[in-house]
Amino acid sequence: MGVLSAVLYFFSQHPFLSFPVCLLLGGLLVWWRENLLWLVAAFLLGTFNIVAGQMVNAAFLNAVGERGTGVIVRSEETSSRLNEQSIWRYEAIVHTRDGRDVETTLFTHTVSLWPLRNEIQVPGVNQVFELKYVPGYPRNIVILTESSAHGQARQRLAAREVVEVAERKYRFSRSNAAFEQDYRQAMHAFIQANDGDPNQQVAVARYRRQLRELDASLPP
């Protein structure tokens, strides 16, 4: 597993460098097997890796990896850009189950996260996070966002954002019955989903109070 993890680490962390590597391997297979389909397969593999290499790596590590913890000790903005956004480089320490500390490097455009989402959730500097790794190659990690404090905090913000959007619509047009209904439903759903979460008790109490105020404003 360690060798496979190292290979996936290379392909996921260096997607554009991996493309010519795939073509080279495909060319060697064409020369050996005398079949051009190997080159076509290598081209498709290299293209797929550019798009989804880190996702495959994340799924692999989540399926077979062991749990550990990590921390970002340094972050810096690089001169490279992707989709008009700066790429950040992170230096991290991985603490393995057997007590080892392993240094590794992460980049915003290649970091492996689980669960898979269309957003990048890299922890802040000095913020401990949960991860998985293969013991034979612990430099290759997947960050478990839902088990880590930074990911849980973002989930709480996202849950409150749904209610706040509905509230803004209602405050803008209080006479709009649809806006009021959406606002009520958003608060009820939040309370039901987060009533037992100690980190959300302030918001839960606030939304309960606002529901009572809405009920009190109804005509007799």
Side-chain angles (χ1 to χ4, degrees), residues 155-212:
Q155 288 178 334
R156 289 193 292 269
L157 289 173
R160 289 198 295 270
E161 179 69 12
V162 173
V163 183
E164 290 169 2
V165 169
E167 181 180 6
R168 292 178 197 128
K169 292 179 181 179
Y170 168 72
R171 300 296 181 195
F172 177 74
S173 181
R174 294 174 184 266
S175 61
N176 189 313
F179 287 169
E180 180 179 344
Q181 182 65 20
D182 289 345
Y183 183 32
R184 287 178 178 273
Q185 289 178 349
M187 287 191 288
H188 278 299
F190 183 93
I191 292 169
Q192 184 176 7
N194 299 279
D195 195 16
D197 185 350
N199 295 298
Q200 296 281 39
Q201 288 311 294
V202 173
V204 167
R206 174 172 172 255
Y207 295 148
R208 280 185 171 141
R209 183 175 66 253
Q210 289 174 342
L211 282 169
R212 289 194 297 268

Side-chain angles (χ1 to χ4, degrees), residues 9-29:
Y9 177 80
F10 173 79
F11 275 83
S12 64
Q13 294 297 308
H14 308 284
F16 296 103
L17 178 60
S18 300
F19 187 78
V21 172
C22 288
L23 293 182
L24 176 61
L25 292 174
L28 291 174
L29 287 170

Side-chain angles (χ1 to χ4, degrees), residues 9-217:
Y9 177 80
F10 173 79
F11 275 83
S12 64
Q13 294 297 308
H14 308 284
F16 296 103
L17 178 60
S18 300
F19 187 78
V21 172
C22 288
L23 293 182
L24 176 61
L25 292 174
L28 291 174
L29 287 170
V30 168
W31 172 77
W32 179 43
R33 305 293 293 181
E34 297 183 351
N35 189 334
L36 284 174
L37 289 178
W38 286 109
L39 188 59
V40 175
F43 176 83
L44 294 175
L45 176 62
T47 303
F48 174 80
N49 181 66
I50 290 174
V51 176
Q54 73 270 32
M55 298 180 187
V56 173
N57 188 48
F60 164 77
L61 290 172
N62 182 68
V64 305
E66 293 185 0
R67 280 184 174 266
T69 56
V71 64
I72 304 292
V73 295
R74 184 170 184 262
S75 67
E76 63 175 347
E77 186 177 5
T78 70
S79 59
S80 302
R81 299 178 70 85
L82 184 67
N83 296 329
E84 304 302 322
Q85 299 292 324
S86 296
I87 294 174
W88 284 73
R89 178 181 182 274
Y90 303 92
E91 295 177 13
I93 303 295
V94 177
H95 188 69
T96 64
R97 182 178 293 181
D98 58 1
R100 288 182 296 156
D101 291 319
V102 180
E103 297 186 39
T104 191
T105 304
L106 309 171
F107 293 87
T108 48
H109 68 303
T110 58
V111 62
S112 294
L113 306 167
W114 191 266
L116 300 177
R117 290 197 176 93
N118 190 27
E119 60 178 335
I120 299 173
Q121 298 183 16
V122 179
V125 172
N126 207 34
Q127 190 171 36
V128 177
F129 56 88
E130 300 291 319
L131 58 86
K132 281 188 176 182
Y133 67 97
V134 171
Y137 195 76
R139 289 190 62 200
N140 187 23
I141 65 171
V142 58
I143 297 174
L144 305 176
T145 55
E146 290 188 352
S147 301
S148 302
H150 77 285
Q152 293 170 350
R154 290 185 65 142
Q155 288 178 334
R156 289 193 292 269
L157 289 173
R160 289 198 295 270
E161 179 69 12
V162 173
V163 183
E164 290 169 2
V165 169
E167 181 180 6
R168 292 178 197 128
K169 292 179 181 179
Y170 168 72
R171 300 296 181 195
F172 177 74
S173 181
R174 294 174 184 266
S175 61
N176 189 313
F179 287 169
E180 180 179 344
Q181 182 65 20
D182 289 345
Y183 183 32
R184 287 178 178 273
Q185 289 178 349
M187 287 191 288
H188 278 299
F190 183 93
I191 292 169
Q192 184 176 7
N194 299 279
D195 195 16
D197 185 350
N199 295 298
Q200 296 281 39
Q201 288 311 294
V202 173
V204 167
R206 174 172 172 255
Y207 295 148
R208 280 185 171 141
R209 183 175 66 253
Q210 289 174 342
L211 282 169
R212 289 194 297 268
E213 292 173 355
L214 283 176
D215 292 337
S217 65

